[in-house]
Each structure stands twice: as structure tokens, then as C-alpha cells.
Amino acid sequence: MARESLKLERILICRTDNIGDVVLTLPLAGYLKQRFPQAQIDFLVRAYAAPVVRQCRFVNQVLAIEEHGDHRRMFVEGEYDTVIFAFPNRRLAQAARRARVANRVGTSHRLFHLFSCNRLAHFSRVKSNLHEAQLNFMLLKPLDMGHIPSLAEIPALYGLEAPRLHDVDLLAAQAPFNVILHPKSNGNGREWPLARYTELARLLEQDRGVCLWVTGSAAEGELIARGAPELLAMPHVRNLCGRFDLAGLTALIGAADGLVASGTGPLHMGAALGRPVLGLFPPIKPIDPARWGALGAQARNLCADERCATCTGAERCTCMQAISAEQVAAVVLDWRAGQRNDA
């Protein structure tokens, strides 16, 4: 079908998995808004991710899947002419077909898409050398859009802005330089050891202007308290685990002077917000920086030079242990020097 015959006026992007994946899909909305400025670009996510997507200026409306039990009705009432399944969901795809959405885009690697989607994207995420944010653009090829943005083009397509919160402003005012440490990943990635975070905090303690904000869920806070009590006991460390919801965390990241984390949602949030971030990754495909690294105007990533032959998995990843506290401290202190030069 020729592109001229496609109707692309009301588009729904479906990404109902984790927050990091959602953030890396936002550039799709930015690109589509550039191509079709008058189009309605909506986003369907899990309810917990909705507060972040609502901060994207390229998204007109955010829908939470938990609030729409009748998926067919959701598609019909939204009058969508196009739905893009950036994350496969059998029930959603079937509902879009029943709702007779004109353009239903999904990857051909899911068998149920062969019956529910009429525009199939032929690519493999596992075997690709593209970054995850670039891979999402493969879903536009069935809509006759073949452009894959370079890594340098991605940051301008996020359209993410941090809200302002009074409690966050008060925290930020307590120290001249505040850095977020987000040690845990909710089991979704290889984590830098808590002992390394403790070493990092000791190295940064020498600069009395540095304050470290440890973030995570309440449950993750308990894990950190058990695994690294020395870290949380340091006078320049603030334990903020469980204190903020996702909207509050977005504001916190927006107010921070830097963020250090492994491949987690907050890392990608910080990169999308244009903040200085440092992502810590193992040199293991497909979970290395080439696939999941932070992409942002001030984003950096660290990774061991090569995979360790004795790596035993996520619980005790020697590849992550190979990243030293001194390496990470050097990046943070470089941010600090930049702040002083800008003052």
C-alpha cells in the first residue's frame, strides 16, 4: 500500500512493560509528531509508568491499561486509525483487530501478530546491533517510514521535562551538588555491587559540597539497608528510598546534578531529561551499552573491557565488579568540576 493512502491522524503507541523500555520508546512519539504535527499521538502504558509519559510534550494523551478493561472499546472510542505494538500483547492485538483499527503494527516474530496485525515489521531484537531506542523505529517501516535515527538524534526526540516539587526543591537547596545513587534494578538488570557504592561514597566524602541521594522503592531500601548499612550511615548520604512516587522521582532526577545506576528505568529517565547520568553495564550482549546504554545530551556509560570468563550471572556478576569505584568517582568529580566552572 502506498504511503499516500495511509491515514495517520490518531495513533496509539502501546508499551505496557517496564519504565526504562517505555522511556526508550518515547522517541517514536517525537518522530511521529515531527512528521505529522497535527496527528494525535497517544501512549498506552501500565499505570505505574503513566506519570513519566505525561511529562512528554510529544504525547497528547496517556492511557493506563489497568483503567481500560474493555480494550476493544478503548480503540473504538479513541477513534484510532493506527496502533503500534512496541511491546507485544495478545489481548490488545486481538482487540485492535476486532475494533477494526485500520493500521495494526506488530513484529512478525510473534505468532499471534500474524492473525491480529495487518502491518508486520520483520526484525529481531535479539540479533540486532542497534540500540533499543533505534530498534523501536523498525516498527515504522510497515507504515512506509524507513528512517532509523542515529544515536545522536535520539535525545532531541524524547520531549521529556521534569516537574517541580516543593519537597524536592528543599532537598536540593541543602547541598551545592547532589548526586542520585540508584543501586537496585527491581531484578531487571546486572547491578553494580552495593560494596562498590559504599566505596564510591567514601571517595566522594572528601568533597563536603557533595550530597548523595540513595533512591529506590521501599523494598529496595530494605535490601540496601541490610546489604550496605555503612553507605546509609554516612553523613553526606540521604536515604530517600520509598519516599517519592514516580512523579516525585522524576522531579528528583530533574533537580539532581547527576545520577549513577545500572541499566534501570531511572537511568533512562535521567538521560531523557538531559541530566548528567552514568550507566554501569556488563560487556555481555544483548545487555551491554550498545543495546541498552543511556542516550542523552549528558549521558555516559561504563563497562568492563571484556566479559570475564568466570561470570556466574546476575547475583554475582564479576563483569560489574570489574568497574571500580575510582572510575565512577572520576566521572562524578568531572561533573562537579563542570558545575564549578559554570558558576
Side-chain angles (χ1 to χ4, degrees):
M1 183 179 291
R3 179 184 157 200
E4 287 73 21
S5 63
L6 288 176
K7 181 182 179 181
L8 299 173
E9 297 176 359
R10 297 186 66 84
I11 303 170
L12 180 65
I13 301 171
C14 301
R15 188 84 210 208
T16 51
D17 53 343
N18 298 316
I19 187 63
D21 306 86
V22 171
V23 171
L24 291 175
T25 308
L26 290 179
L28 270 188
Y31 180 76
L32 288 169
K33 187 62 79 172
Q34 286 182 357
R35 290 289 301 269
F36 309 100
Q38 304 307 315
Q40 171 96 7
I41 311 292
D42 293 350
F43 230 96
L44 178 69
V45 296
R46 291 164 60 191
Y48 96 105
V52 171
V53 185
R54 290 193 182 104
Q55 302 301 320
C56 177
R57 65 178 180 273
F58 299 131
V59 175
N60 294 98
Q61 184 179 12
V62 181
L63 308 178
I65 189 171
E66 295 89 341
E67 298 172 4
H68 295 272
D70 188 338
H71 299 150
R72 177 187 173 280
R73 181 177 179 182
M74 175 187 68
F75 290 121
V76 171
E77 291 183 347
E79 299 180 336
Y80 296 112
D81 53 64
T82 303
V83 57
I84 300 170
F85 294 106
F87 180 73
N89 183 303
R90 184 193 302 270
R91 291 181 61 193
L92 282 174
Q94 292 172 342
R97 182 175 182 271
R98 292 196 304 272
R100 298 185 179 182
V101 176
N103 305 305
R104 306 181 302 277
V105 183
T107 172
S108 61
H109 282 238
R110 295 296 176 129
L111 183 61
F112 57 85
H113 281 167
L114 302 181
F115 302 97
S116 55
C117 294
N118 61 349
R119 298 189 176 277
L120 297 174
H122 306 285
F123 69 99
S124 170
R125 291 184 185 271
V126 174
K127 297 179 181 180
S128 177
N129 290 323
L130 292 174
H131 190 279
E132 179 70 11
Q134 294 173 308
L135 278 169
N136 290 323
F137 281 81
M138 299 293 289
L139 293 164
L140 298 185
K141 286 194 172 185
L143 299 174
D144 300 322
M145 287 176 273
H147 177 63
I148 305 296
S150 68
L151 296 181
E153 291 178 274
I154 293 292
L157 297 173
Y158 285 121
L160 201 63
E161 299 174 355
R164 291 286 300 273
L165 292 180
H166 180 65
D167 286 352
V168 170
D169 289 341
L170 290 177
L171 268 174
Q174 293 177 14
F177 190 77
N178 300 288
V179 176
I180 292 175
L181 305 183
H182 194 86
K184 308 304 290 182
S185 65
N186 197 28
N188 292 321
R190 297 290 178 96
E191 297 171 357
W192 202 42
L194 288 175
R196 288 282 188 269
Y197 280 101
T198 304
E199 293 174 26
L200 172 65
R202 289 197 182 103
L203 290 172
L204 297 175
E205 192 174 16
Q206 301 169 25
D207 186 332
R208 297 193 177 185
V210 174
C211 183
L212 303 177
W213 297 342
V214 179
T215 59
S217 66
E220 289 172 334
E222 293 177 3
L223 292 174
I224 296 169
R226 290 198 297 269
E230 302 93 343
L231 170 65
L232 300 183
M234 294 184 191
H236 64 307
V237 174
R238 305 285 180 270
N239 182 4
L240 304 182
C241 292
R243 178 166 171 178
F244 294 97
D245 58 13
L246 193 58
L249 180 61
T250 307
L252 194 72
I253 294 172
D257 298 293
L259 180 149
V260 177
S262 56
T264 65
L267 173 70
H268 297 297
M269 289 164 60
L273 290 167
R275 306 307 301 145
V277 301
L278 178 63
L280 308 176
F281 292 88
I284 304 171
K285 292 186 178 297
I287 57 174
D288 61 342
R291 173 69 181 277
W292 290 102
L295 298 179
Q298 300 190 75
R300 303 189 198 181
N301 298 284
L302 273 178
C303 175
D305 292 333
E306 59 184 35
R307 179 172 182 170
C308 180
T310 61
C311 188
T312 57
E315 289 298 318
R316 291 184 177 275
C317 182
T318 50
C319 300
M320 294 297 284
Q321 293 176 6
I323 301 173
S324 70
E326 287 78 9
Q327 287 176 286
V328 177
V331 174
V332 175
L333 293 174
D334 188 44
W335 294 338
R336 176 74 162 130
Q339 181 204 49
R340 285 170 169 155
N341 291 336
D342 292 339

